[in-house]
Structures are given as C-alpha cells and as structure tokens.
Amino acid sequence: MTDSAQKHSVVMQGIVGSHGACVARSYVFRKRIEVKQTPLADDQVNAEIERLETAIKMTAADIQNFREVAKQRHGEQYAAIFDSHLLMLEDPQFKPRMIKRLKEEKVNVESIVRDIVDKLQSVFSAIEDPYLRERAIDIKDVGDRLLRHLMGLEGPATEIGDEPYVLVAQEVTPSEILDFARGNLKGVCLDTGGATSHVAILAGALGIPSIFGLVNFSLGVHTGDLVLLDTRESCKLILNPKESEISDLNEELKEDFSESLKSDITADGFKLNIAANIARTEELCFLEKLNIKRIGLFRSEFVFMESMDVPSEKFQCDVYSKVVSAASELTVLRTIDIGSDKPLRYLPLGTEENPAMGFRSVRFSLSRPDILEPQLRAMIKAAQFGNCIIIFPMVSVPSELAAIKDLYDRVISELKPKIIPEWGIMLEVPSACFILDEIAAYTKYISIGTNDLLQFFYAIDRTNEKLAGLVDHMSSAFLRMLYKTVKKANKLGIKVGICGEMAADPVGFIALLGIGIEDFSMRPAAIDRIMSIIPKLNRKEVTKIIDTHLGDVSDSDVREIIKHKFLS
C-alpha cells in the first residue's frame, strides 16, 4: 500500500449515488489491462518462455475450478461452456505461435499475448455466425486471465487482502460490483454514471456509499491512496485526507442514533407498508435486523448476472423460494430485467444507438419464452411458500399485457399450483400512465419504478453524469404526473406501490405519502432513516399540502415546502 501521509489533500465534487461514510485505501480498477512492450536480451528468452508456460498452467487451473463451480451450481450443460476456454489454451497453434514470436521479436511475452488475443478477438467479432461471433468474449476472458497471471494481477482480494477498500474506476457494471462486494468493499467512486444508475442502486442496497460523475478521477488515483467518502448529507470526497479530517469523521460515526423512535405508523395512526428492495439472497439478513416483513422488489436479473450461463429452473426455484420464505407478509418478484446498463455476457443483445430505450426488460423476455417460461415456473413454485406477487418490468403498450396474460395462463395451466400468485406490472414508461384503463382489465397491481420513469419522462439517460442536474424527482411536472396517475389508479381499484429511489429520499418519501402511496419499497440502508421520520408525520396534513400544490397548475417548490414544514 502507498503511504499517503505526505501527499496533499484533494477535495472532489461529484454526484451522490448512495448514502454513507467511510475512510479506506483505494483500489483502482481498469477494465483493460494495459501492457507495455519491452525488449529482451537473447539470454532472457528462455526464462520468458518458462513464464508463459507457468501462466498457461495457472490459467488452465483457474478454468477447471470455474468449470467445477458451474457444474455444482447449474449442472454439466453449463459447466461445458468452459471447455471451449480450455480448448483455446490447448490449441496446437496457440502456445507455439507465441513462442515462435518470442524468439523472433525478443519482446516481453505480455505484449505478444495482448497482440495475439486482440487479433483473435477481432477476427471472431467480425464473423457473421452469431454463435462463433460470441466466442470473442471467451477469447477475451482467457486472454485477460493469462495476462493477469503473467503480470501478477490477482484482483482486489489478493492485492488488498482483507483490508477495507474504496473502489475507484472509470465505470463498472452491476455484476462487477457484486464481485467486488465479495471483498471488504466500503465505498465506490466512478468517473461516469449518475444517482439512479443500477450500479448506484445496488451500492445503496449493499449499504455502500457511492459517488459518480467524477470526470477523470480514476486517472489521478493510485491503488493504496487513502480516500475519505461522506455522502450522508452532501457529496464529500477527499483524496489523501488530513488526520484531523479522518478523526472528525470517525467521531461522528461513533455517535449512536439507535434511540430515536422508528415506526411504520404515522403520528395520526396510519400504518404504512415498508418493504426492502433486494437483489441478492445475502441481503435477506437485513429483514430481521430492520424488523421488515416485506420485500417490495426482488431483482431477479442478478441471479442471471452472477451466473456463467442461463441459470437452471431448479436453481432459480431454490433462490426464489428462499426469498419468498424470508418475508412473512409479502414478496414481489420481478421477472428478468436486463438490457441498457445491465448486460449479460452470455446473452449479447447487440449494439443499439439508445439501449435504455431499446430491446430490454419485458421486450426481451417476451421474445425469449425459453428463458421467461422456466423463470415463471420457478417463481410460481416459490410462491407456494408465502404471499407473493410476480411483476413484469417496463410494460408500455396493451399488447404486452395481452402477451403476458397468455403466457402466464399457459404456465399456470401446466403447473396447476395450489396457490396462484397475482401478477402485476412495473410502471416505468410514461405511456403506461395513459393506459390505466387497459391495465386495470388485466391486473390490479402496479409498482412505480421512479428511476426509469424519471429518465423517460425527461428523455435523459440516467447513467450520463453530464445530464444529472436536469433530472429531479421533486420537479412539479414529474410530481404532477405521479399525482394524477395514482389518483386515476385508485379510482380503477389498482393497488399502487413504489420501488424507486425516490422512496429512499426523505423529501421524496413525504411527497409520495401525500400523493396517496401506502406501499413503499426501498434499499435496506435507507429504511432506518425513513422509519425515524414516519412517526413525526401527520398523513392528513401531508396529503392536504400535496393536494394544494399539485391539484392545480401552480409551480410551487414542493421540495422546499416539505423541507420547511416537516424536516427543518
């Protein structure tokens, strides 16, 4: 680790993704392993060949280990995907070709591996046949692992050990965050992204503070630099903090707020339904700690994202059953929601100009009954263990409702379960706000996902840090749309829940309460804070204020009104 005691402190500004605070050493993650070419003397060539052979053996051992894990978790058919990785290493042209170039060019073996792998990947990427084209991903995986062994790069677990660390990178995917969270991850700092990106949401679910939109921050940080991250009230990021700054934060974190009253009942006696958004079974322990009996959103796509291939129906059923059993009152299971910033490497969706508005979510899953039907069967089987609703993401037109019903009825007919769980939809697209009559003909449950709804309402990519200042869930226009949508849904007998990040913001939560929401689901890390606010709120008073300022065409600053009235 680098000693930062003599380095100057640098204070950075960014976008708060999730709340919390920590002080830890940084781990700088770069997606592409950078390789420099260095010349070799004649007497160094044999040693370089030995390094290559050792690295190939270590890479093969890694792949064999991955194969065994996949076999245990998913079965032989999924373990077999690693056979192609082994075949690449064992290809009679692969190692000899590298050794031949080593002897001819007399340069370090890393540079030769990088060049050969890049060229192979380019060749496969250009093939028309989709199966062969997808093998380019396998080539990259094997090449990167080989380079890591050659360069002594084993990832954060080895480079940092068990020490707490803050992840610093240009960008990461949700699945990569899950991998990093297996270590002692304490915070996240990214050059790109915004507060409502799926990475931000997942960081919040894991109780990890995060900051986004730190343009080029990762380029000026080295692994081992000390980082102070505090997003509890504002955005504070200090690179190489002073001892006094560290001491001040540690003293603040020692303060105990556990004595404050926490409840799901308002001051005027109205009981709210507070639930947790969950992405992994490892988060289920939060339910008991927080005394929460509901899961308002289980993001099933992370079951897929943590797998090497499509997870089996049995494996999915085991996971969903565990989730449903953990929440005694209600579990809301969402069908696979991939695309945009949640890709699956084994299910490439192709390049799109606007992936957030492209072939994703229910649009993808309805086109792949081979994936959706086994998932529905697994979810319906799991629903026999408790109260459960199954929801479909990003429904935008009536024809999708009809397709969902046909598919759902067919699976129910095949399974003939004792308990038939209700199904509903995620309301995330503005068009859905205007087809509530059609929605009511199919289902009486909608869950409003304010994150996607907000980005589509303003036509702004929520992962684009340059546009973050233009999006505000407390803007009068967005609040008015929510207000009118909830009022219309209630008249139609549709139960409305909220599962977006707006519910985790105290001001947003109060606005939603006044709009008429009773069912709230949020990341576990936000629940304590929200439940300390609820006992201080008079629901009738909040509703009256919201009706006054959203029931007409006024352009009141509802955020300031709520802050002044209830949070000052």
Side-chain angles (χ1 to χ4, degrees):
M1 287 295 182
T2 305
D3 183 6
S4 60
Q6 297 181 342
K7 295 185 178 182
H8 295 295
S9 293
V10 179
V11 180
M12 302 290 296
Q13 289 298 318
I15 302 162
V16 173
S18 50
H19 298 279
C22 69
V23 178
R25 299 287 183 180
S26 65
Y27 172 76
V28 183
F29 171 63
R30 308 198 190 282
K31 281 185 177 287
R32 179 178 170 85
I33 301 172
E34 297 299 329
V35 175
K36 293 182 179 179
Q37 186 180 92
T38 56
L40 298 175
D42 289 345
D43 59 358
Q44 293 177 305
V45 172
N46 286 337
E48 203 74 353
I49 292 173
E50 289 180 9
R51 284 208 312 126
L52 173 62
E53 291 177 338
T54 300
I56 288 175
K57 289 178 182 177
M58 294 172 74
T59 302
D62 286 346
I63 295 170
Q64 288 282 16
N65 182 56
F66 289 145
R67 192 190 193 286
E68 186 60 31
V69 170
K71 181 180 178 180
Q72 292 177 3
R73 185 171 183 180
H74 306 297
E76 180 61 34
Q77 67 184 102
Y78 298 107
I81 66 173
F82 290 103
D83 291 342
S84 62
H85 292 208
L86 289 170
L87 285 173
M88 176 180 167
L89 287 177
E90 297 166 359
D91 187 293
Q93 296 298 317
F94 188 66
K95 185 172 74 172
R97 184 178 171 188
M98 292 182 180
I99 293 174
K100 182 174 183 292
R101 285 189 54 179
L102 258 173
K103 292 178 177 178
E104 291 174 351
E105 300 173 23
K106 294 184 176 61
V107 293
N108 61 317
V109 69
E110 291 92 341
S111 64
I112 291 174
V113 171
R114 166 59 74 203
D115 185 58
I116 288 177
V117 168
D118 284 354
K119 286 177 178 176
L120 273 173
Q121 188 180 353
S122 297
V123 169
F124 274 79
S125 296
I127 295 174
E128 290 187 8
D129 180 85
Y131 175 81
L132 292 176
R133 189 168 61 244
E134 290 166 15
R135 300 289 69 76
I137 300 172
D138 297 333
I139 291 168
K140 182 182 184 302
D141 282 349
V142 174
D144 283 353
R145 185 156 295 280
L146 184 55
L147 283 172
R148 284 188 173 277
H149 281 304
L150 284 167
M151 300 172 71
L153 301 174
E154 293 296 325
T158 300
E159 294 180 28
I160 298 181
D162 296 328
E163 184 179 347
Y165 72 98
V166 172
L167 175 64
V168 177
Q170 181 184 23
E171 64 176 2
V172 294
T173 66
S175 58
E176 286 169 339
I177 281 289
L178 295 178
D179 286 338
F180 283 115
R182 298 181 194 281
N184 203 354
L185 179 63
K186 295 297 182 183
V188 177
C189 300
L190 300 184
D191 293 349
T192 59
T196 57
S197 68
H198 288 110
V199 172
I201 293 168
L202 189 53
L206 295 168
I208 297 170
S210 61
I211 296 180
F212 298 80
L214 298 163
V215 181
N216 295 330
F217 177 66
S218 67
L219 300 180
V221 184
H222 298 90
T223 292
D225 284 347
L226 201 60
V227 173
L228 184 152
L229 190 60
D230 186 359
T231 60
R232 291 171 297 168
E233 299 297 335
S234 60
C235 180
K236 181 189 287 186
L237 171 61
I238 305 176
L239 177 63
N240 304 314
K242 300 173 184 176
E243 286 296 331
S244 59
E245 293 170 323
I246 298 172
S247 298
D248 288 346
L249 178 63
N250 287 335
E251 284 301 314
E252 291 176 22
L253 294 177
K254 286 180 183 178
E255 294 183 26
D256 185 10
F257 298 99
S258 61
E259 296 304 315
S260 62
L261 177 63
K262 298 181 179 70
S263 175
D264 56 4
I265 301 175
T266 64
D268 53 338
F270 192 85
K271 188 180 185 305
L272 302 176
N273 296 317
I274 306 299
N277 292 339
I278 298 293
R280 309 169 74 202
T281 55
E282 288 87 343
E283 297 174 68
L284 294 176
C285 61
F286 290 127
L287 299 181
E288 185 175 352
K289 292 178 182 177
L290 296 166
N291 194 27
I292 294 295
K293 300 177 181 179
R294 289 173 170 248
I295 295 172
L297 176 67
F298 180 72
R299 297 184 169 100
S300 70
E301 58 271 17
F302 289 98
V303 175
F304 289 75
M305 294 171 72
E306 289 190 298
S307 297
M308 296 299 178
D309 205 336
V310 178
S312 67
E313 180 179 325
K314 181 183 182 305
F315 178 75
Q316 289 187 67
C317 184
D318 291 343
V319 173
Y320 305 148
S321 298
K322 186 176 182 180
V323 173
V324 171
S325 299
S328 58
E329 290 187 2
L330 176 69
T331 298
V332 179
L333 299 175
R334 183 174 71 186
T335 59
I336 184 171
D337 182 15
I338 65 161
S340 188
D341 65 341
K342 290 186 291 184
L344 293 180
R345 60 181 176 179
Y346 54 84
L347 286 175
L349 301 181
T351 302
E352 295 181 296
E353 290 295 328
N354 297 294
M357 297 186 289
F359 187 56
R360 55 171 291 203
S361 302
V362 77
R363 301 167 182 176
F364 164 80
S365 60
L366 284 175
S367 75
R368 292 292 302 267
D370 58 316
I371 292 174
L372 184 55
E373 287 190 28
Q375 180 177 46
L376 285 180
R377 286 196 295 269
M379 287 183 168
I380 292 166
K381 290 175 184 177
Q384 309 308 300
F385 294 92
N387 188 22
C388 175
I389 297 175
I390 298 171
I391 60 173
F392 296 80
M394 206 175 163
V395 171
S396 56
V397 294
S399 61
E400 290 169 340
L401 292 163
I404 291 169
K405 183 181 185 304
D406 288 346
L407 179 62
Y408 201 81
D409 289 349
R410 184 166 71 250
V411 174
I412 290 292
S413 178
E414 292 172 0
L415 286 179
K416 296 180 175 57
K418 290 183 178 179
I419 300 172
I420 300 177
E422 180 184 355
W423 69 267
I425 68 162
M426 290 279 292
L427 195 151
E428 302 170 279
V429 183
S431 64
C433 298
F434 299 93
I435 59 168
L436 290 172
D437 292 286
E438 289 93 334
I439 290 172
Y442 289 93
T443 177
K444 298 299 182 184
Y445 183 84
I446 62 174
S447 180
I448 299 179
T450 54
N451 306 322
D452 265 331
L453 185 59
L454 187 66
Q455 89 163 333
F456 295 130
F457 183 74
Y458 281 104
I460 286 176
D461 180 357
R462 69 189 197 177
T463 65
N464 190 331
E465 70 280 1
K466 297 176 183 177
L467 304 175
L470 299 177
V471 180
D472 182 7
H473 58 237
M474 291 302 297
S475 67
S476 59
F478 186 68
L479 287 174
R480 195 169 294 116
M481 181 179 67
L482 290 177
Y483 181 84
K484 293 183 177 180
T485 298
V486 173
K487 296 297 181 188
K488 177 70 179 292
N490 288 340
K491 287 180 181 179
L492 293 168
I494 299 174
K495 184 74 172 176
V496 182
I498 288 284
C499 66
E501 281 296 287
M502 184 176 177
D505 169 27
V507 178
F509 175 85
I510 295 171
L512 291 167
L513 176 64
I515 285 171
I517 299 297
E518 300 173 13
D519 289 21
F520 298 86
S521 191
M522 61 199 75
R523 48 189 161 85
I527 289 177
D528 259 354
R529 188 181 187 193
I530 293 300
M531 290 187 71
S532 68
I533 295 171
I534 293 173
K536 304 171 186 176
L537 300 174
N538 184 302
R539 180 173 176 264
K540 293 178 182 177
E541 185 181 5
V542 175
T543 302
K544 184 178 179 181
I545 289 173
I546 293 300
D547 282 341
T548 299
H549 294 283
L550 295 182
D552 54 30
V553 292
S554 67
D555 195 28
S556 305
D557 190 339
V558 180
R559 179 186 292 276
E560 288 305 314
I561 292 169
I562 289 176
K563 287 174 69 174
H564 174 73
K565 186 70 178 177
F566 301 105
L567 298 173
S568 59

